[in-house]
Amino acid sequence: MSDVSVVTTTVDSAEAAESLAKGVIEARLGACVQIVPIRSVYRWDGEVRVDAEWQCVVKTSTIRVDDLVAHIKTHHTYDVPEVVVTPVTGGNDDYLAWVSEETS
């Protein structure tokens, strides 16, 4: 088990994704944010919707997760932003060490 987690959220534009990612990196809450264009199908306010979104995948130290989640919620435009935390159980030890160094 490592001390790294992956935090995923989605936003409604490429600009919002880049802004959020830059803020996360500048605050040292994440070592890397990958931005991926996606299509989401979901129910909101009783209506099925299909929207373009940009998924932000943040690699961070587990000890920084609470601060990262708070940052995302504060800087997000959605009423109820997706924020999902997944613990990393293994991987390239050199990469995982880099993530820890960048977020300490």
Side-chain angles (χ1 to χ4, degrees):
M1 187 77 139
S2 75
D3 66 344
V4 172
S5 292
V6 174
V7 178
T8 306
T9 190
T10 54
V11 295
D12 61 359
S13 71
E15 295 79 16
E18 287 184 20
S19 177
L20 184 64
K22 286 178 182 176
V24 164
I25 299 302
E26 287 170 358
R28 298 189 79 83
L29 295 172
C32 173
V33 182
Q34 294 171 317
I35 300 169
V36 183
I38 60 171
R39 295 209 42 89
S40 294
V41 180
Y42 59 99
R43 184 182 313 276
W44 187 253
D45 289 335
E47 176 185 327
V48 175
R49 301 192 49 167
V50 179
D51 288 316
E53 289 189 299
W54 284 257
Q55 184 178 62
C56 299
V57 181
V58 185
K59 274 66 83 187
T60 190
S61 294
T62 301
I63 61 171
R64 300 292 280 163
V65 164
D66 290 341
D67 291 336
L68 174 58
V69 170
H71 179 90
I72 291 170
K73 290 172 70 175
T74 299
H75 294 92
H76 211 289
T77 60
Y78 289 2
D79 293 337
V80 182
E82 170 193 5
V83 182
V84 176
V85 179
T86 306
V88 173
T89 60
N92 179 345
D93 290 337
D94 294 333
Y95 179 80
L96 298 176
W98 174 78
V99 170
S100 294
E101 289 169 17
E102 287 297 310
T103 55
S104 60

